[in-house]
Structure formats: structure tokens, C-alpha cells
């Protein structure tokens, strides 16, 4: 008798939903207008950069506020290298490595800091990078900015090419972060976050682990910056100022920085809000601040934690009923 292998209905439904979602994403250039496709590209780029925050903030517990600076490093470095004749994939990876080096340099002193002091140190780095972007005129164009050469894939227009680049990098980064979370790296990061004093007794160096987290987070931010340049088509230093930093904070805490899916949920909210609030000018930051405060107060683990919270509530409901009957 031939054995049969039954797939649980819930898992089968999940696979079917994932397949349908993947097909929709692949066909998206033919389903929406160029503006919505541009917004979708921004969601993918912002979420990809947010995956770096999962490593540094979610899993290792470091309050790092430098991701906007790493994004700028990746954007400008990729644009410069492509202008020198480098192929875009090689330029993007090299820009990611440059950003990773910057992450190590900031991580060396920052690993000795915690909490508020670490946040201030990384914020200072992000502000310093804006000054570097202004002064490094041969590379960045200074205040005037620099145009970005569009990458066009064979047989696909510029809008479609940009989307497939963003989608491919987001998918690869997501798989890499998921695998890292399930492997030894994820466990080491969580040990350093939850029991740093006990980590050496387990053969884990807190400093090396933190430096690795900084480097990987910066590398992801740098590669995301290469995509961000493709989306914007023109770079100026003010793009990477405090406004972008605040958006990353909203993305992280609203989406759920401890979950891989969190940056995608947060990115959707951030990009939609940016589009809706674009006429508010400087008031945007106030709205973002209110949203961030509400998220921390009522959703401390972000939108990604809602399914788990609902499951816990359903499990506790019978217990409360039994307790009520017994009393």
C-alpha cells in the first residue's frame, strides 16, 4: 500500500497564499500605474533597509539610529561607481561593503555604550554623514546633488526594471535574514541582548557579536541605498536627514522590529503616510512622533505581534471561562 502524506489545511492555505502573493508581485508592473509601482518600490527599499534594523535593534538589542546614514553611503557610492563604468550589481555590493566598514568604525566605540548613549552616538554619525555628503563634491555633487543612471533590464522598461531589482534584493535579503535568525548568528545576538554578562561563559564575545550586527545592518542599509538611488533618480544630502531617520523609527517600532515581517508592515504604513501627509511640510514629523508614541504605548511589539496576541487571547478565553464557572 502506497503511503500518503497529508498536508495540514492551514499550511496548505499558507503556501497557496504565498504563491498567489508571489505571482501578484511578479505581475505588478502590468497591474498598476507607474506612480503606484513607484510607491511599491519605495516600500520594498524601505523594508529592505528595515531588515538591517531587525538584526541590530530587534535581535541584538542595540538602539542604533544610523540607518539613514548607511542608506546615503550606499546610494552615493553606487551612483559614483556606476558613473565610473562599474556594473550596477558589483557597484551595489561594493557600496554595501563600504557601508559595512562604516558600520564597524562606528561600532568599535559604540559597543561600549548602551541605551541612550548609544542612540546619541549613532545619531551623531548619521548627522556627520550628511555633512560628508555636502562636502564630498567630487563624489556626491554637494548641495547641488548628482543624477543617478537608471538600470534597465533587457526587454523591460525602466519602471519595471526598478521594480524587479527592488523585489529581487528584498527577497534575497529576507531569506538571508531568516536563515541567519535560525542559525547560530541569531542565537548569539539574542544571548548578547538578553544575558550579555553570561555570554562569555557560553563562548560568545559580546563585542564581536555587536560589531558583526553593526556590519551586517550597515551592509543591508548600503545595498538598500543603491536601490533607493534608483527610485529617486537624483540624490541630494537633505534626502538622508532627520526626516528619513524618523521614518525608520516609525517603521521599526510600528511594524515590529523583532519580526522579519515587521519592516514590510511598517514600510507600507510609512510610505502611505508619506504620500498622505506630503502637504503638511514640517508638521509631518509631529504626526510621525505621535504615531511612534502610540505604537510604543499600545503595540510595544508592533503590528507583526498581533497574530500571536490574538492566539494568546483565544487560548486564555477557555481558562477564564473555567475560572468564572468555578468561582
Amino acid at each position: 500500500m502506497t503511503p500518503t502524506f497529508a498536508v495540514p489545511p492551514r499550511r496548505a492555505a499558507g503556501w497557496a497564499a504565498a504563491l498567489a502573493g508571489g505571482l501578484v508581485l511578479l505581475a505588478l508592473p502590468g497591474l498598476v500605474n507607474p506612480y503606484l509601482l513607484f510607491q511599491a518600490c519605495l516600500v520594498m527599499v524601505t523594508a529592505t533597509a528595515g531588515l538591517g534594523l531587525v538584526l541590530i535593534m530587534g535581535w541584538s538589542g542595540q538602539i542604533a539610529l544610523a540607518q539613514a546614514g548607511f542608506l546615503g553611503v550606499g546610494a552615493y557610492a553606487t551612483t559614483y561607481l556606476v558613473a565610473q563604468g562599474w556594473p550596477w550589481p558589483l557597484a551595489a555590493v561594493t557600496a554595501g561593503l563600504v557601508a559595512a566598514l562604516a558600520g564597524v568604525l562606528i561600532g568599535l566605540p559604540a559597543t561600549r555604550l548602551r541605551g541612550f548613549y548609544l542612540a546619541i552616538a549613532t545619531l551623531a554619525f548619521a548627522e556627520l554623514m550628511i555633512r560628508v555628503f555636502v562636502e564630498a563634491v567630487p563624489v556626491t555633487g554637494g548641495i547641488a546633488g548628482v543624477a543617478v543612471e537608471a538600470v534597465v533590464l533587457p526587454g523591460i522598461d525602466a519602471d519595471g526594471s526598478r521594480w524587479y531589482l527592488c523585489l529581487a534584493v528584498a527577497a534575497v535579503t529576507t531569506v538571508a535574514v531568516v536563515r541567519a535568525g535560525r542559525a547560530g548568528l541569531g542565537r548569539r545576538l539574542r544571548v548578547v541582548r538578553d544575558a550579555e554578562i553570561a555570554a562569555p561563559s557560553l563562548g560568545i564575545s559580546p563585542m564581536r557579536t555587536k560589531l558583526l550586527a553593526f556590519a551586517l545592518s550597515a551592509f543591508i542599509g548600503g545595498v538598500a541605498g543603491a536601490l533607493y538611488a534608483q527610485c529617486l533618480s537624483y540624490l541630494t544630502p537633505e534626502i538622508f536627514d532627520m526626516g528619513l531617520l524618523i521614518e525608520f523609527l516609525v517603521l521599526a517600532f510600528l511594524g515590529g522590529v523583532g519580526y522579519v515581517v515587521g519592516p514590510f508592515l511598517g514600510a507600507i504604513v510609512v510610505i502611505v503616510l508619506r504620500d498622505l501627509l506630503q502637504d503638511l511640510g514640517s508638521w509631518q514629523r509631529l504626526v510621525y512622533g505621535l504615531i511612534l508614541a502610540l505604537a510604543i504605548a499600545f503595540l510595544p511589539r508592533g503590528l507583526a505581534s498581533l497574530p500571536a496576541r490574538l492566539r494568546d487571547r483565544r487560548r486564555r478565553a477557555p481558562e477564564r471561562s473555567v475560572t468564572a464557572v468555578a468561582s
Side-chain angles (χ1 to χ4, degrees):
M1 182 177 179
T2 304
T4 58
F5 300 94
V7 179
R10 183 175 298 180
R11 180 175 297 181
W15 288 348
L19 178 60
L23 293 175
V24 170
L25 292 177
L26 289 174
L28 197 63
L31 300 176
V32 300
N33 60 48
Y35 178 74
L36 290 179
L37 187 62
F38 170 72
Q39 296 294 320
C41 289
L42 289 180
V43 168
M44 286 296 171
V45 172
T46 310
T48 301
L51 289 171
L53 296 179
V54 171
L55 290 171
I56 191 69
M57 294 178 66
W59 294 350
S60 67
Q62 309 300 305
I63 304 177
L65 305 179
Q67 201 70 348
F70 297 140
L71 207 75
V73 170
Y76 278 117
T78 304
T79 301
Y80 177 77
L81 292 175
V82 169
Q84 303 306 309
W86 289 44
W88 188 87
L90 180 59
V93 172
T94 303
L97 293 175
V98 173
L101 177 60
V104 171
L105 292 178
I106 187 179
L108 283 172
T111 51
R112 302 180 182 275
L113 304 174
R114 295 182 182 180
F116 174 77
Y117 300 100
L118 176 59
I120 292 299
T122 53
L123 177 60
F125 169 80
E127 290 296 316
L128 175 64
M129 291 312 302
I130 295 176
R131 195 65 207 170
V132 171
F133 299 153
V134 171
E135 298 296 336
V137 177
V139 176
T140 67
I143 297 176
V146 61
V148 179
E149 182 179 343
V151 177
V152 180
L153 301 177
I156 307 175
D157 62 11
D159 292 335
S161 298
R162 182 171 56 226
W163 166 248
Y164 288 121
L165 280 177
C166 295
L167 182 62
V169 173
V172 171
T173 307
T174 301
V175 171
V177 171
V178 169
R179 290 181 64 87
R182 294 176 178 175
L185 174 60
R187 290 192 291 270
R188 291 199 302 272
L189 290 174
R190 294 183 182 94
V191 167
V192 171
R193 178 193 65 190
D194 299 332
E196 183 175 346
I197 296 177
S201 64
L202 301 174
I204 298 173
S205 169
M207 177 172 289
R208 291 180 182 176
T209 304
K210 290 180 182 180
L211 282 178
L212 182 58
F214 268 102
L216 291 177
S217 177
F219 177 80
I220 293 173
V223 174
L227 295 172
Y228 200 48
Q230 285 294 309
C231 291
L232 300 182
S233 301
Y234 200 89
L235 300 176
T236 54
E238 64 267 18
I239 291 173
F240 307 99
D241 65 4
M242 185 67 67
L244 185 60
L245 168 63
I246 293 174
E247 289 184 4
F248 275 121
L249 287 177
V250 174
L251 175 152
F253 288 101
L254 183 59
V257 75
Y259 301 85
V260 173
V261 72
F264 291 91
L265 298 176
I268 293 172
V269 175
V270 165
I271 299 305
V272 170
L273 283 177
R274 184 195 296 178
D275 191 47
L276 294 176
L277 304 177
Q278 59 184 343
D279 295 331
L280 294 182
S282 59
W283 288 94
Q284 280 189 10
R285 297 184 181 182
L286 176 61
V287 175
Y288 280 135
L290 291 174
I291 293 172
L292 184 58
L294 292 173
I296 294 174
F298 297 102
L299 282 173
R301 298 178 63 189
L303 293 171
S305 67
L306 283 177
R309 293 179 65 178
L310 292 175
R311 286 195 299 269
D312 290 341
R313 184 171 296 180
R314 284 197 296 266
R315 280 198 295 264
R316 292 173 184 172
E319 297 177 4
R320 289 195 295 268
S321 301
V322 171
T323 304
V325 171
S327 62

